[in-house]
Amino acid sequence: MPRPYASGIVPANADTVWEIVRDFNGMPAWHPGIASSELESGASAATVGAVRLLTLPDGGTVRERLVSLDDADRRMIYDILDSPFAVRSYRSTVRVAPVTATGEAFVEWWCHYDAEAADEAQLDKTFTRAIYATGITGLTDHLAG
């Protein structure tokens, strides 16, 4: 099973970065690849089981369910329910950790998914670069104001 991965240093403390990342409905504020987000069924952004509908800049949509929100470990896990990606299953994790030497935040983002072998290289590139690395850079830009 493929495991695309990206990481980066965000020049803010881990608690500040986590407060932004943990908002399951807040991605449009910091991820340039997300035009809008709407929680379904009036759920709270901090409620495990909440489903969000993300709209992409091209009008495509992605539905995701929050599987786990762990404030102590600064870790969020979510599944894709529906998307334009050719995956049969997809579970992603975002984790924020302190860089103790500098006071910055180390952000990791990865997933496990199942897809046709012929699609894996393109999916790995899309998830790693267009979603995760772009999102981590977006966090830095957002915090820079």
Side-chain angles (χ1 to χ4, degrees), residues 57-106:
D58 67 1
T61 59
V62 179
R63 286 181 69 237
E64 298 174 334
R65 177 185 302 118
L66 182 60
V67 174
S68 174
L69 188 63
D70 182 343
D71 287 323
D73 197 34
R74 295 184 201 88
R75 180 186 310 255
M76 176 192 322
I77 300 172
Y78 63 91
D79 290 342
I80 287 180
L81 303 175
D82 300 299
S83 78
F85 306 116
V87 295
R88 289 183 288 270
S89 65
Y90 172 104
R91 175 158 287 180
S92 188
T93 302
V94 182
R95 183 172 171 270
V96 178
V99 178
T100 57
T102 64
E104 296 171 304
F106 178 69

Side-chain angles (χ1 to χ4, degrees), residues 6-50:
S7 64
I9 301 295
V10 176
N13 72 61
D15 289 333
T16 298
V17 175
W18 176 242
E19 282 304 311
I20 295 166
V21 171
R22 77 178 302 279
D23 179 359
F24 193 60
N25 198 37
M27 281 183 80
W30 55 269
H31 198 299
I34 305 299
S36 67
S37 177
E38 180 181 340
L39 290 175
E40 296 183 359
S41 305
S44 160
T47 302
V48 171

